[in-house]
């Protein structure tokens, strides 16, 4: 993999709390999923890579640009699209006006060319028909698409998305997944999410974080394979399991160290994720 983004030894503390603890990642073209529990450091990592905050230690490059210098930081921002967890919408802006405002911030000063670009990205997220509608009148799903359109201004090579599908209904999430997958065909996308199904359906690679550290980096199939031989079905909840829940069939799906003779099941990405966070069994096959 030829990396678009390469980070080494990123560390950042808020007071005595380590938000990032010696984080190193390499991102290439396609969609990489970033998953982990609340407080894992996911949003902090995204903000550092988006040059919104500076790490205390470590370094990274984006498309060969080093943000440690003023010129390098400006170059990173020119090639970056960032959708934060809570986009700062002005509710009285129309969709067109908001994206146009972001385009101005991205130094697109030629009005004719800028408006052409605004129309292009709004069409890309299927919002041409509501571009004159005020943001406060749009649904949650449409607002997220406005934010994505703003992130796509200038055709960035690196797209950073922080929880873009949170709060969306199943149909809206499905449409948003399609947009993210399309974006990942031409650029590097880093997608932070709590939805493991988003990662399973969209991502070429996945990073698992907890307590400010990277616990796993690899393919979704590799993450699922970590749970091979550690997922089983039973008629009752197994108290020795690290996690277990009743399924729609009435049987229980258990994750952990199975008892002898257990009816093993095919592991999923979520199973591998749960075991990676738990640190067992056998420290997840010493991986």
């Amino acid at each position: 993999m030829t990396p678009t983004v390469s980070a080494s030894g990123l560390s950042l503390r808020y007071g005595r709390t380590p938000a990032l603890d010696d984080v190193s990642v390499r991102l290439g073209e396609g969609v990489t999923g970033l998953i982990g529990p609340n407080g894992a450091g996911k949003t902090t990592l995204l903000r550092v890579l988006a040059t919104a905050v500076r790490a205390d230690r470590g370094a990274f490059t984006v498309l060969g640009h080093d943000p440690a210098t003023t010129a390098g930081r400006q170059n990173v921002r020119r090639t970056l699209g960032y959708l934060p967890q809570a986009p700062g919408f002005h509710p009285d802006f129309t969709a067109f006006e908001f994206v146009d405002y972001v385009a101005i911030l991205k130094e697109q000063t030629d009005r004719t060319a800028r408006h052409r670009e605004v129309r292009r990205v709004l069409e890309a997220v299927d919002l041409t028909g509501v571009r004159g509608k005020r943001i406060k009148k749009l649904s949650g799903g449409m607002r997220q698409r406005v934010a994505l359109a703003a992130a796509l201004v200038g055709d960035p090579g690196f797209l950073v998305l922080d929880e873009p599908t949170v709060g969306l209904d199943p149909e809206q999430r499905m449409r948003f997944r399609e947009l993210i997958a399309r974006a990942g065909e031409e650029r590097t996308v880093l997608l932070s999410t709590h939805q493991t199904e988003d990662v399973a359906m969209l991502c070429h690679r996945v990073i698992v974080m907890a307590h400010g550290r990277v616990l796993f980096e690899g393919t979704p199939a590799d993450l699922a394979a970590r749970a091979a031989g550690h997922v089983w079905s039973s008629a009752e909840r197994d108290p020795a399991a690290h996690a277990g829940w009743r399924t729609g069939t009435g049987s229980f799906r258990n994750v952990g160290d199975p008892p002898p003779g257990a009816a093993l099941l095919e592991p999923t990405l979520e199973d591998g994720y749960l075991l990676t966070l738990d640190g067992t069994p056998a420290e997840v096959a010493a991986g």
Side-chain angles (χ1 to χ4, degrees):
M1 178 187 70
T2 301
T4 303
V5 180
S6 182
S8 176
L10 295 177
S11 297
L12 176 64
R13 299 180 73 90
Y14 293 122
R16 295 185 177 182
T17 304
L20 297 178
D21 185 5
D22 195 29
V23 170
S24 298
V25 294
R26 289 161 61 89
L27 308 175
E29 188 175 280
V31 184
T32 296
L34 178 62
I35 56 177
N38 290 330
K42 303 187 302 297
T43 292
T44 299
L45 177 59
L46 296 190
R47 294 185 69 200
V48 168
L49 295 180
T51 72
V53 297
R54 291 190 182 187
D56 298 328
R57 295 192 307 277
F60 70 96
T61 60
V62 176
L63 293 169
H65 303 299
D66 183 354
T69 67
T70 299
R73 190 160 52 252
Q74 290 174 340
N75 286 330
V76 169
R77 290 172 178 171
R78 289 183 180 120
T79 191
L80 174 78
Y82 181 34
L83 195 166
Q85 194 169 15
F89 292 121
H90 191 298
D92 286 323
F93 274 13
T94 65
F96 187 96
E97 288 168 341
F98 177 78
V99 178
D100 188 45
Y101 173 69
V102 172
I104 292 172
L105 295 180
K106 289 189 173 184
E107 303 175 329
Q108 297 200 10
T109 55
D110 184 285
R111 187 173 184 272
T112 299
R114 187 179 73 244
H115 284 188
R116 186 185 310 120
E117 174 67 0
V118 173
R119 288 191 294 270
R120 181 188 72 82
V121 295
L122 286 171
E123 181 180 1
V125 298
D126 197 23
L127 286 179
T128 298
V130 297
R131 68 187 186 192
K133 198 169 185 177
R134 297 192 186 281
I135 289 175
K136 64 184 178 183
K137 300 286 189 180
L138 298 177
S139 68
M142 285 186 174
R143 291 183 188 185
Q144 285 293 82
R145 280 191 273 158
V146 171
L148 180 59
L152 289 172
V153 166
D155 196 22
F158 180 36
L159 191 59
V160 178
L161 308 177
D162 195 357
E163 297 284 355
T165 63
V166 67
L168 302 185
D169 64 36
E171 182 181 359
Q172 291 170 337
R173 188 183 304 157
M174 180 179 65
R175 291 174 62 84
F176 217 82
R177 284 175 183 160
E178 182 181 6
L179 294 172
I180 295 170
R182 193 183 308 154
E185 293 173 1
E186 303 172 346
R187 56 179 62 83
T188 297
V189 178
L190 180 57
L191 166 69
S192 174
T193 180
H194 281 97
Q195 306 289 341
T196 53
E197 61 266 34
D198 284 350
V199 175
M201 292 184 179
L202 284 171
C203 298
H204 304 84
R205 295 184 65 79
V206 58
I207 298 168
V208 179
M209 287 188 68
H211 307 295
R213 308 194 76 176
V214 172
L215 303 184
F216 171 86
E217 184 177 1
T219 68
D222 289 340
L223 181 56
R226 287 188 145 207
H230 296 286
V231 186
W232 72 100
S233 177
S234 61
E236 298 180 353
R237 181 179 287 107
D238 192 325
H242 300 292
W245 57 94
R246 189 172 186 172
T247 69
T249 64
S251 62
F252 285 84
R253 184 182 183 90
N254 305 283
V255 181
D257 291 309
L264 296 179
L265 300 174
E266 187 73 19
T268 65
L269 181 146
E270 186 173 59
D271 298 325
Y273 169 65
L274 290 173
L275 284 182
T276 297
L277 291 183
D278 194 64
T280 52
E283 292 303 312
V284 196

